[in-house]
Amino acid sequence: MLKTYLENLKKELERQEYFDIEDALRQTDNQIRRLKKIGKSEEEIVEELGPIEDYIDNIFVDNCPKSKNEILMNDIIFWGVATPVACLCTLAMIFIAILCGISGAMFLVKAWTDPVFTTLGMKFAAFILAICGVAMFGLTAFLTYKIAMKMRYGILRHLRLKKYSLGKINNGEFDDDED
């Protein structure tokens, strides 16, 4: 019963060209999980979620600002504070990744060529440390990529919500409290 409800929900979201289908399905899954935890049956869960059209309307309304003032405040916080801080942190991660890679590669070469490392044990230990530096480069680069993809998702979601809200305000469905 829940599987059918979720399939119908996905079809209806696609038909209505909802701006973020994956996020809506994720929210629904989380809500279903919470309801299952408190012991509700599938029938009770579907009844609590309600008709698909009403549920989709609630998703739209819950996720977006409802006035131009709310949109403006979201923009100030999102573009004025959150996005610049996230971009600076991402640039710092890129810098750290580059430093890890360069230092690991340099230490790798020094471990075998520098006369300071006289014994095979010292060379082996230096080699292991150099490999750790290169591995840190890979790990930091991967984490930076994942962070950048999350930032991209957040920016696109913010823009979609803003577009949806402005359309509803212009159509008169949401209040315009510019008075």
Side-chain angles (χ1 to χ4, degrees):
M1 186 168 203
L2 276 175
K3 188 175 181 180
T4 307
Y5 187 88
L6 289 172
E7 288 171 359
N8 291 338
L9 176 64
K10 184 176 180 179
K11 287 177 189 173
E12 186 64 23
L13 287 169
E14 288 170 350
R15 189 187 69 72
Q16 291 187 18
E17 297 177 1
Y18 184 71
F19 57 88
D20 199 351
I21 294 172
E22 293 82 25
D23 187 55
L25 293 175
R26 191 176 321 111
Q27 285 179 10
T28 306
D29 284 338
N30 289 339
Q31 189 172 0
I32 289 170
R33 235 188 326 269
R34 281 193 307 274
L35 292 171
K36 281 183 178 179
K37 269 187 181 176
I38 61 173
K40 295 209 176 204
S41 67
E42 286 192 9
E43 294 82 19
E44 292 172 325
I45 293 171
V46 170
E47 184 179 316
E48 188 160 326
L49 294 175
I52 290 177
E53 294 79 22
D54 294 343
Y55 184 75
I56 291 174
D57 289 342
N58 290 337
I59 290 174
F60 274 114
V61 171
D62 290 345
N63 285 327
C64 64
K66 290 150 191 80
S67 68
K68 287 185 179 178
N69 286 339
E70 285 182 37
I71 292 171
L72 181 62
M73 289 306 297
N74 282 348
D75 280 347
I76 290 170
I77 292 169
F78 190 82
W79 296 112
V81 178
T83 302
V85 168
C87 289
L88 288 174
C89 291
T90 305
L91 288 174
M93 289 282 290
I94 291 169
F95 181 70
I96 291 169
I98 291 169
L99 285 179
C100 286
I102 290 172
S103 64
M106 286 174 51
F107 200 66
L108 189 61
V109 171
K110 275 199 162 283
W112 296 104
T113 60
D114 199 334
V116 171
F117 304 106
T118 54
T119 66
L120 187 61
M122 290 174 79
K123 288 184 185 234
F124 184 71
F127 179 73
I128 295 298
L129 288 173
I131 293 297
C132 287
V134 173
M136 284 304 297
F137 165 72
L139 179 64
T140 309
F142 175 73
L143 290 174
T144 304
Y145 170 76
K146 295 301 274 183
I147 290 168
M149 289 297 103
K150 287 287 185 183
M151 285 174 49
R152 177 183 173 273
Y153 170 79
I155 289 169
L156 291 176
R157 186 171 193 277
H158 176 78
L159 293 173
R160 287 183 195 125
L161 283 171
K162 183 177 177 179
K163 179 180 176 184
Y164 174 78
S165 294
L166 286 173
K168 291 292 186 179
I169 290 169
N170 291 336
N171 291 338
E173 295 178 40
F174 288 162
D175 290 334
D176 183 10
D177 57 356
E178 288 280 323
D179 301 334

